[in-house]
Amino acid sequence: MKSNLEWLDEPLFSERQIVKVFNMPEDDAETQVCALPLAWVAGRTKEDDKGFLLWPERRISSIPVEFWNHQLMEFPLDDPSALAEFVSTWGIPYHPFRNLSYLSGDMREFCGIKATEEDARLYIPRPHSEEVGAGYFFTSGGSPRLSFISAEELRHSIKVLRTCVSVLVRGEDFGMPALVADVLRVVNSASCNPGRLALCNFADSVMWDKQGETLEARGLLTSAISNQLVSAFADDAEWKVCACEGCGRVFKRKQPDSMVTRPDSDSKYCCTKCKNRQAKRNQREAAKNRTQH
């Protein structure tokens, strides 16, 4: 794997934070989770006083390139309508802490996981007659297979996933040097990628939360995001900083407009929006210079 950006004035990673990918042994008991097919649901989303209720209308098995760099970051956590739109479009990102074996009851309550488990039981309505056979997802008992997440878990989950990106990709430690090891543990536990992230030669074990429903039981959007982070470090493309003024994203591959799974890595821009924005800025600057001369 190639080193981080040596041409930057300030490298993205300190020596302490260099992250590599290692493969789990084939005979390791935890590798069975790697065989899980990635698939989860998205659809109509409704917010109420307890959280966000998703009525599944379609299945999703992939997300755009560097989803963690764009869709995960591009909306305010304090905007309920933006949260509902995210869930409706991409599904529910259940908290990555669900797969940590050492998660305490107090932490499950703080993260909103406990509220999700308790309140989800309230959402088992019977279907209307016109909905039966109309392409909706139902349980074996005939009730709609609704998905629910508490507002606390949804916000905490997205915040933790964003922190993982900031620490691993941007090299930020928020004044807590030990944070990077904790972030690696969270990403590894949430991922169902055969590879695992490690700090230097430290190989973190994968642990599963036995106290509540795991990500495999609830939905795998969070696992898909974690998988992308693992794959980004396994990718031998160079880390770059977007050339669009004011963007500042660190990336390896430009996010295309379509669902191309592995686009070229030679772009100076992290996405088409930044490329177009910078082109317009350059045009305005060129026009201004012509006027002045």
Side-chain angles (χ1 to χ4, degrees):
M1 185 173 64
K2 296 182 180 179
S3 62
N4 55 288
L5 292 173
E6 297 177 354
W7 50 269
L8 287 179
D9 293 334
E10 295 182 3
L12 299 175
F13 301 94
S14 68
E15 289 301 317
R16 178 185 59 77
Q17 291 176 311
I18 291 180
V19 177
K20 70 172 186 177
V21 177
F22 68 95
N23 292 320
M24 296 289 287
E26 292 185 2
D27 58 349
D28 192 293
E30 304 291 359
T31 59
Q32 60 184 340
V33 72
C34 300
L36 283 174
L38 272 179
W40 60 97
V41 293
R44 282 186 288 143
T45 303
K46 178 182 178 181
E47 182 201 8
D48 62 17
D49 58 348
K50 293 184 180 298
F52 294 83
L53 181 65
L54 171 66
W55 185 289
E57 295 178 329
R58 63 189 180 280
R59 296 189 186 279
I60 298 179
S61 58
S62 63
I63 51 180
V65 173
E66 293 201 4
F67 182 96
W68 46 266
N69 222 355
H70 299 279
Q71 286 79 5
L72 180 67
M73 300 288 190
E74 294 175 345
F75 62 93
L77 286 178
D78 58 355
D79 183 350
S81 62
L83 287 167
E85 182 179 1
F86 179 86
V87 170
S88 178
T89 304
W90 302 111
I92 297 178
Y94 288 101
H95 207 295
F97 281 14
R98 282 175 171 271
N99 282 359
L100 293 175
S101 63
Y102 56 80
L103 194 65
S104 67
D106 288 344
M107 184 57 69
R108 292 181 73 248
E109 183 172 2
F110 173 78
C111 294
I113 296 174
K114 181 178 179 181
T116 296
E117 301 303 328
E118 291 179 349
D119 294 335
R121 294 192 292 259
L122 302 176
Y123 298 96
I124 313 179
R126 303 295 298 181
H128 297 295
S129 58
E130 66 272 14
E131 293 168 344
V132 177
Y136 296 103
F137 299 82
F138 296 98
T139 65
S140 59
S143 297
R145 191 181 298 279
L146 303 182
S147 300
F148 173 82
I149 187 170
S150 66
E152 295 89 344
E153 181 176 359
L154 180 58
R155 290 188 174 90
H156 276 285
S157 179
I158 294 172
K159 184 177 180 179
V160 167
L161 289 169
R162 288 178 176 180
T163 298
C164 291
V165 174
S166 296
V167 171
L168 294 180
V169 178
R170 300 190 60 85
E172 302 176 14
D173 62 15
F174 304 98
M176 297 178 286
L179 182 60
V180 65
D182 292 333
V183 164
L184 291 174
R185 188 174 295 112
V186 169
V187 172
N188 286 336
S189 69
S191 170
C192 53
N193 189 304
R196 294 291 184 265
L197 297 181
L199 181 62
C200 298
N201 294 322
F202 177 71
D204 193 12
S205 60
V206 180
M207 298 174 289
W208 305 105
D209 179 14
K210 304 301 182 184
Q211 301 179 44
E213 291 197 34
T214 61
L215 291 172
E216 299 87 84
R218 277 292 182 189
L220 288 170
L221 173 58
T222 298
S223 293
I225 296 171
S226 299
N227 287 356
Q228 274 199 342
L229 279 171
V230 175
S231 297
F233 284 91
D235 188 350
D236 61 2
E238 295 280 3
W239 288 107
K240 295 174 287 186
V241 176
C242 183
C244 178
E245 296 176 23
C247 174
R249 282 194 184 93
V250 179
F251 74 107
K252 282 193 173 183
R253 296 184 181 273
K254 172 179 174 288
Q255 185 175 88
D257 296 330
S258 62
M259 289 288 283
V260 177
T261 57
R262 194 175 180 82
D264 293 336
S265 60
D266 58 357
S267 174
K268 297 189 298 181
Y269 303 100
C270 68
C271 61
T272 303
K273 184 186 297 184
C274 280
K275 180 181 178 181
N276 294 340
R277 183 182 295 125
Q278 188 61 40
K280 291 180 180 179
R281 185 179 290 119
N282 293 343
Q283 290 172 359
R284 289 195 298 267
E285 189 66 25
K288 180 180 177 180
N289 291 337
R290 286 194 299 269
T291 302
Q292 292 175 346
H293 292 84

